[in-house]
Amino acid sequence: AQSVTQLGSHVSVSEGALVLLRCNYSSSVPPYLFWYVQYPNQGLQLLLKYTSAATLVKGINGFEAEFKKSETSFHLTKPSAHMSDAAEYFCAVSDTSGTYKYIFGTGTRLKVLA
Amino acid sequence: DSGVTQTPKHLITATGQRVTLRCSPRSGDLSVYWYQQSLDQGLQFLIQYYNGEERAKGNILERFSAQQFPDLHSELNLSSLELGDSALYFCASSSGQTFGNTIYFGEGSWLTVV
């Protein structure tokens, strides 16, 4: 079965600093991977997704993620944090075993300090 | 705006009662997913429907049921409610026809059981 693990339920960075949110996946087949963001009192919004076309995926709001098969990782980064980036971020994997389920990690809450 | 519409946005009800949450997927999407988000359990997959048929089942309690109607809208029925059922319930939709489709989330229905 496929799964994702997000390391760090809370991450704090200073405004202007690098954002790094970690996600490791488990899959016996090439996965489809996603990052979603949830702002307070809102639904989840797609940031970016990996579908094997390119290992470095660029998303919205300056975020990007790199698929590393050797490390089974799909970490999310942004060079310079803005106050508006404060939110909860979820990594997800699409189940390709036939069920079409999407399995989400436990989320990482990003706090941006002024 | 993701195009996924959920009603009601907020609901307060007493233990033992029954409620129905409604979801209209994005235009053209055949697949509907239900997720439960709570503080202690994170984002839990409940159930998925594709074109009216149940396709995948997750951690859905027997007290909960769902269906997808011919017009593709979906309802999640929660009965014999307990305090622990208080959560944010999300509906999401996708075309559902290939692996790795993006799923789009509604803004959720906040359920409070008192």
Side-chain angles (χ1 to χ4, degrees), chain A residues 36 38 49 99-102, chain B residues 35 37 48 101-103:
Chain A
Y36 282 82
Q38 184 181 24
K49 72 175 185 180
T99 67
Y100 293 86
K101 287 194 297 186
Y102 291 76
Chain B
Y35 286 85
Q37 185 179 37
Q48 180 205 357
N101 286 147
T102 298
I103 57 171

Side-chain angles (χ1 to χ4, degrees), chain A residues 32 34 36 38 41-46 49 51 88 90 94-106 109, chain B residues 33 35 37 42-43 45 48 55-58 88 90 94 96-108 110:
Chain A
Y32 294 97
F34 304 78
Y36 282 82
Q38 184 181 24
N41 301 316
Q42 293 188 26
L44 279 73
Q45 177 184 359
L46 179 71
K49 72 175 185 180
T51 58
E88 188 149 23
F90 292 89
S94 170
D95 184 3
T96 55
S97 65
T99 67
Y100 293 86
K101 287 194 297 186
Y102 291 76
I103 298 112
F104 284 80
T106 51
R109 187 168 296 278
Chain B
Y33 306 76
Y35 286 85
Q37 185 179 37
L43 195 61
F45 169 70
Q48 180 205 357
R55 180 180 257 181
K57 213 166 190 175
L88 182 54
F90 283 113
S94 75
Q97 293 168 325
T98 57
F99 293 117
N101 286 147
T102 298
I103 57 171
Y104 296 89
F105 282 79
E107 297 206 344
W110 277 101

Side-chain angles (χ1 to χ4, degrees), chain B residues 4-102:
Chain B
V4 179
T5 303
Q6 290 188 247
T7 57
K9 290 195 186 315
H10 299 274
L11 190 57
I12 301 174
T13 190
T15 53
Q17 295 298 304
R18 171 191 169 95
V19 298
T20 297
L21 309 181
R22 193 179 192 278
C23 170
S24 294
R26 292 189 327 147
S27 177
D29 282 354
L30 300 178
S31 198
V32 169
Y33 306 76
W34 287 98
Y35 286 85
Q36 179 194 57
Q37 185 179 37
S38 60
L39 283 174
D40 55 344
Q41 300 228 2
L43 195 61
Q44 297 286 315
F45 169 70
L46 296 178
I47 199 164
Q48 180 205 357
Y49 280 82
Y50 177 76
N51 204 20
E53 301 286 330
E54 182 184 307
R55 180 180 257 181
K57 213 166 190 175
N59 302 322
I60 188 166
L61 300 172
E62 285 192 11
R63 300 183 285 107
F64 297 179
S65 64
Q67 54 184 327
Q68 186 180 27
F69 295 87
D71 67 353
L72 301 178
H73 91 271
S74 178
E75 293 181 355
L76 178 66
N77 301 295
L78 315 173
S79 61
S80 302
L81 285 166
E82 302 175 358
L83 295 178
D85 298 327
S86 296
L88 182 54
Y89 291 85
F90 283 113
C91 173
S93 75
S94 75
S95 67
Q97 293 168 325
T98 57
F99 293 117
N101 286 147
T102 298

Side-chain angles (χ1 to χ4, degrees), chain A residues 16-112:
Chain A
L18 171 72
V19 175
L20 171 60
L21 304 182
R22 300 176 188 274
C23 173
N24 287 89
Y25 70 90
S26 172
S27 177
S28 58
V29 297
Y32 294 97
L33 295 162
F34 304 78
W35 275 100
Y36 282 82
V37 61
Q38 184 181 24
Y39 298 104
N41 301 316
Q42 293 188 26
L44 279 73
Q45 177 184 359
L46 179 71
L47 272 178
L48 50 83
K49 72 175 185 180
Y50 168 76
T51 58
S52 77
T55 56
L56 183 62
V57 182
K58 293 188 183 299
I60 62 171
N61 301 338
F63 283 94
E64 62 182 35
E66 186 172 8
F67 173 74
K68 291 187 177 180
K69 185 178 178 181
S70 60
E71 299 176 8
T72 61
S73 68
F74 190 57
H75 301 332
L76 182 71
T77 60
K78 181 174 180 178
S80 176
H82 293 176
M83 298 297 290
S84 60
D85 294 327
E88 188 149 23
Y89 293 80
F90 292 89
C91 182
V93 63
S94 170
D95 184 3
T96 55
S97 65
T99 67
Y100 293 86
K101 287 194 297 186
Y102 291 76
I103 298 112
F104 284 80
T106 51
T108 297
R109 187 168 296 278
L110 176 66
K111 187 173 181 180
V112 181

